[in-house]
Amino acid sequence: MAAQKTETTTLAIAPRDAAHSRATRRLRRAGRVPGVLYGLDQGPAPFSADARELRHALHGAGAVIELDDGSSKTAAVLKEAQRHPVRGDVIHVDMLRVDLDKPIQAPVALHLVGAEDAPGVREGGVLEHPVREITVEALPNDIPEALELDVSGMAINDTATVAQISVPTGVTIVDDPEVVVATLTPPRLTAETEELETETEVVGEGEAPAEAEAEAEGADEAAGDEAGSDGSE
């Protein structure tokens, strides 16, 4: 499967007055996250949403989130999410209104599938995934939640590029088609193997001087025996 289809998620919101930090802190203590809705030539509209519901909406949605204020619904996409520097919780969101009849650009996740069957992986190679998001253009409701790339045929030293990713009808990849998204590199030496090889090299380097020293000592003893024999005669 080339792509996972996006399902629109509905998020209940409540209008709020633009407030200072004290009111914002009260909102967060009450389990809500402040946000602002922008776009489509309309003024910014401050709102708040339940923190848990927002978390689920951001996790489950692809591009479009339907914001429901109780009297109307607005299609929007996430523009930016600010997170707590320690806990990682979302503490503020900016949403952007979208026209469902006009295409937008959005990043989508790229998943590699079939890695366990790749000949290179079976031979001990390392599959690397340097690019994990791809920018696509499509109508808001056609933006896929994720794209998939089958790497089951990759051998060691093979690479895969953006050009090899399949997309559904109506979806266009914006990124450079020559960008490498996956590589299968030769097996790497483990730290233990490298340490063992280093120790072996050190031992090997030490053997030659030891042998030379033993040979020198043997030669000295032989010379001494000969000298002793000459003296006794």
Side-chain angles (χ1 to χ4, degrees):
M1 184 173 60
Q4 300 173 7
K5 181 66 175 178
T6 294
E7 293 183 3
T8 301
T9 301
T10 299
L11 175 66
I13 62 171
R16 66 181 178 90
D17 295 328
H20 297 294
S21 57
R22 182 176 298 177
T24 300
R25 286 195 296 270
R26 283 199 298 268
L27 268 177
R28 292 178 180 135
R29 284 197 296 270
R32 300 188 67 81
V33 176
V36 180
L37 180 61
Y38 300 93
L40 293 184
D41 298 325
Q42 299 180 40
F47 68 90
S48 70
D50 178 81
R52 179 177 295 182
E53 293 180 5
L54 175 64
R55 184 168 61 250
H56 289 319
L58 294 180
H59 177 72
V64 181
I65 298 177
E66 196 170 57
L67 303 180
D68 185 355
D69 65 5
S71 60
S72 62
K73 296 180 179 180
T74 302
V77 295
L78 177 67
K79 180 181 179 182
E80 182 179 5
Q82 298 177 16
R83 296 182 179 273
H84 190 280
V86 177
R87 297 190 304 271
D89 301 334
V90 175
I91 58 175
H92 187 277
V93 289
D94 288 335
M95 305 293 295
L96 189 65
R97 300 179 186 92
V98 293
D99 184 339
L100 296 180
D101 295 323
K102 294 182 179 180
I104 62 171
Q105 293 186 3
V108 298
L110 175 64
H111 299 157
L112 304 183
V113 296
E116 63 278 1
D117 297 323
V121 172
R122 291 189 173 188
E123 294 171 8
V126 179
L127 180 64
E128 298 183 347
H129 190 6
V131 175
R132 296 178 180 272
E133 279 192 345
I134 300 296
T135 302
V136 302
E137 182 174 283
L139 294 176
N141 282 330
D142 290 338
I143 297 290
E145 183 176 346
L147 296 173
E148 293 182 349
L149 175 64
D150 186 355
V151 295
S152 60
M154 290 184 67
I156 289 178
N157 293 323
D158 279 354
T159 60
T161 65
V162 168
Q164 295 170 247
I165 303 171
S166 298
V167 295
T169 302
V171 177
T172 303
I173 295 179
V174 177
D175 296 337
D176 184 343
E178 296 184 2
V179 169
V180 173
V181 297
T183 61
L184 221 167
T185 58
R188 296 174 180 169
L189 294 175
T190 64
E192 293 181 358
T193 303
E194 291 177 346
E195 183 178 351
L196 179 60
E197 290 189 352
T198 301
E199 291 176 354
T200 303
E201 290 175 359
V202 171
V203 171
E205 291 172 356
E207 286 178 355
E211 291 175 359
E213 185 177 348
E215 290 177 359
E217 290 178 354
D220 291 341
E221 289 177 1
D225 290 343
E226 291 179 1
S229 299
D230 291 343
S232 60
E233 291 177 353

